[in-house]
Amino acid sequence: MTSFFLDQHGCAKNQIDGELILTRLLKKGMKRVDSPEEADLIIVNSCGFIESAKRESLEAVIDAKTSYPHAKVLLAGCLSERYAETLAEDLPEADGIIGNGDLSAIDAVVDSMTEGSRPVETYDQQGVCCGEREELLSFPGSAYVKITEGCDNRCSFCAIPLIRGTMRSRPAQDIIDEIKSLVARGIVEINLVGQDSAAFGMDGAHPHKKEIWSQFDGTGTKLSPLAQLLQGISRLEGKFWLRLLYIHPDHFPLDILPVMAQDSRLLPYFDIPFQSGCNPIIKAMNRTGTGAEYTQLVQSIRSRLHSTKLGEPALRTTFLVGFPGETDDHAQQTLDFIKGIQPDWAGSFTYSREDDTPAAAMKNQVPKKTAEKRNKTLQQLQEEITSERLRQRVDRTYDVLIEEVIEGGDGEGNGLAIGRCWFQAPEVDGAVVVSYDLEEQSHLVASGRMVSVLVTGTSGVDLTGAVV
C-alpha cells in the first residue's frame, strides 16, 4: 500500500489524532490522496461518543468497503478503542482495527495489513498522544493543541473515561514549545483542547473535591496549573489568538481571568459545558454544581473581563436534553437558566444511552420523541439569543481570520470570503461573510490571514461585513 485517504470523524481531540496518524504515514513514505477511490488504504478515524456518531462511523467503514473494494479499510479512533474485540467479529468490512492509546503503532499495523494480516490492536491509555504534525486538518491559519487526555469527572452519562482513560496532562513546556512552533509556521489561531481543560496539571486529584481548587480563586499568590500555563504562553512573541475550549464548570479556575485580562491574545472566549440548569438533573449527572452557582460563574467571568480590549467575554456552552428522569418542569428550568445566562452560543444533543455508564441503568428513560421535542425548543431559544447578541456586534470593526475565499466573488465586482471573529470558534460557531473590492483589496484577503472588517449586519447565526 502506497497511498491513503483519511476519513475524519469526531471532535477536535480526534482531529489531532488524525493529524498525528497522517504525519506518521507521510514519514513512512505513503502519499495522502484527496479521494478514497485513489487510495490503497482508507482510514476511518471514528467517533464513539454518542449513538449517532458511532453509527456514522460504522456506516463509513461499510460504505468504504462496498464502494472501494480494491482498498484496505482501517478502523481507528474512539470507536475501535472501545469496541475492538466486538468489531473484530461483527465488522468484517474492516481489514484492520487500531485503538488510540498509542498512535505510533500505526506503522506496524499498516505493515501487517500490507502483508495480508488483519490486525486488531488496542493499547493502554498512557500519557497524551502528541508530536509533530506535518499537515493540519483545520482551515489555514488555525490549529488545535491538546493539553490533556482522558477525564476524571465521571459524569454519569459519559463514556469518555471508558475510551480515553483517566485524566493526564502534558508538560506545560511541551505545550508552549508546540505553540511557538505553530506560530513560526504561520498559524495565527491556537485552540487549546482536552476532555477537561480546567483540570490541566491536576492529575490524580478528583475534580469533585472542590477544596482542591479553592486555593486557586485568584485571591492568593499560588496560581492554578492552567493559569501558570497561560502565563507561559503569554510570554511568547508574535501575533496570535489563543482560545481555551472545554472547561468543566465545577472547578473553573478563576485565577485564569486576571492572566487573560493582561494579554488580549488570550481570548476571553469560554467554552463551558453546563449540560443542564436544573439542580436534580445536574446532581444525577454526577456533577457538584447548581444552576445558581453556574449562573454566578458566568456573572463573575463577565464582570471581571467586561473592560478588556476585546469587550465583553463570549460564552459557549452545551446542553444534554432528555437525561433519564428529566420532566417537563426540569426541562423548563434549563430553559430559564439559558435565559438567565444568555450564552452567545450553545450546542445541544439528546441523551444517548451509552453502554456501561451509570445513566444507562437509570429508571425513567425519556422517550426519544419527547427528548427531540425538548431539544428543538432549546435550540429555538438559543437561536433567538444568539441572533440578539450578534446584533450587538454590528457597526464594530474586528480582526477576522479568513478561512476561505469564494472564487468569482458575487459576480458584480465584489470579492467574497468566509472568516471568523475572535468570538467564533472553528466548526461550532457562526461565521462572517466578508465582502471586499476585488481591484483594491484582493491583496489583503487570503485564507489563513487576518483582515480588519467592519461588521454591517447579521444573517441568522452569521455576520456580514466589509474589509476596511
Side-chain angles (χ1 to χ4, degrees), residues 74-152:
L74 174 62
L75 177 63
C78 288
L79 189 63
S80 56
E81 176 68 20
R82 189 173 183 202
Y83 296 107
E85 293 184 7
T86 300
L87 294 174
E89 295 183 7
D90 297 345
L91 191 65
E93 292 85 356
D95 298 300
I97 297 173
I98 180 174
N100 53 23
D102 182 6
L103 297 178
S104 68
I106 189 76
D107 302 53
V109 166
V110 170
D111 286 342
S112 180
M113 293 174 68
T114 301
E115 295 167 0
S117 298
R118 185 175 184 256
V120 177
E121 301 287 352
T122 59
Y123 308 89
D124 291 340
Q125 290 284 340
Q126 297 180 357
V128 179
C129 282
C130 53
E132 181 183 357
R133 290 177 283 161
E134 191 168 309
E135 292 187 17
L136 301 175
L137 300 174
S138 305
F139 282 103
S142 181
Y144 294 104
V145 172
K146 196 183 294 187
I147 65 171
T148 69
E149 190 69 274
C151 188
D152 288 340

Side-chain angles (χ1 to χ4, degrees), residues 218-279:
T219 62
T221 57
K222 187 173 183 179
L223 291 178
S224 67
L226 184 58
Q228 293 179 50
L229 172 63
L230 293 179
Q231 280 188 332
I233 294 170
S234 185
R235 296 187 188 102
L236 293 174
E237 298 181 355
K239 181 178 180 180
F240 58 87
W241 285 345
L242 185 126
R243 188 180 289 106
L244 188 61
L245 303 180
Y246 313 117
I247 313 173
H248 195 289
D250 285 352
H251 42 266
F252 186 104
L254 290 172
D255 64 349
I256 68 174
L257 301 181
V259 178
M260 299 175 77
Q262 295 171 8
D263 188 343
S264 61
R265 298 175 303 174
L266 308 182
L267 301 180
Y269 178 105
F270 300 93
D271 178 6
I272 310 173
F274 291 116
Q275 304 300 358
S276 176
C278 169
N279 292 346

Side-chain angles (χ1 to χ4, degrees), residues 9-24:
H9 296 257
C11 65
K13 283 85 70 179
N14 210 41
Q15 177 179 313
I16 293 174
D17 289 350
E19 293 164 350
L20 294 169
I21 287 172
L22 73 85
T23 296
R24 292 200 68 90

Side-chain angles (χ1 to χ4, degrees), residues 432-443:
V432 185
V433 180
V434 179
S435 64
Y436 59 96
D437 187 292
L438 276 174
E439 291 187 4
E440 301 294 331
Q441 297 175 318
S442 291
H443 66 288

Side-chain angles (χ1 to χ4, degrees), residues 318-336:
T318 309
F319 294 98
L320 188 158
V321 182
F323 187 82
E326 182 187 70
T327 65
D328 287 342
D329 180 61
H330 292 155
Q332 183 60 50
Q333 289 180 45
T334 293
L335 295 179
D336 292 341

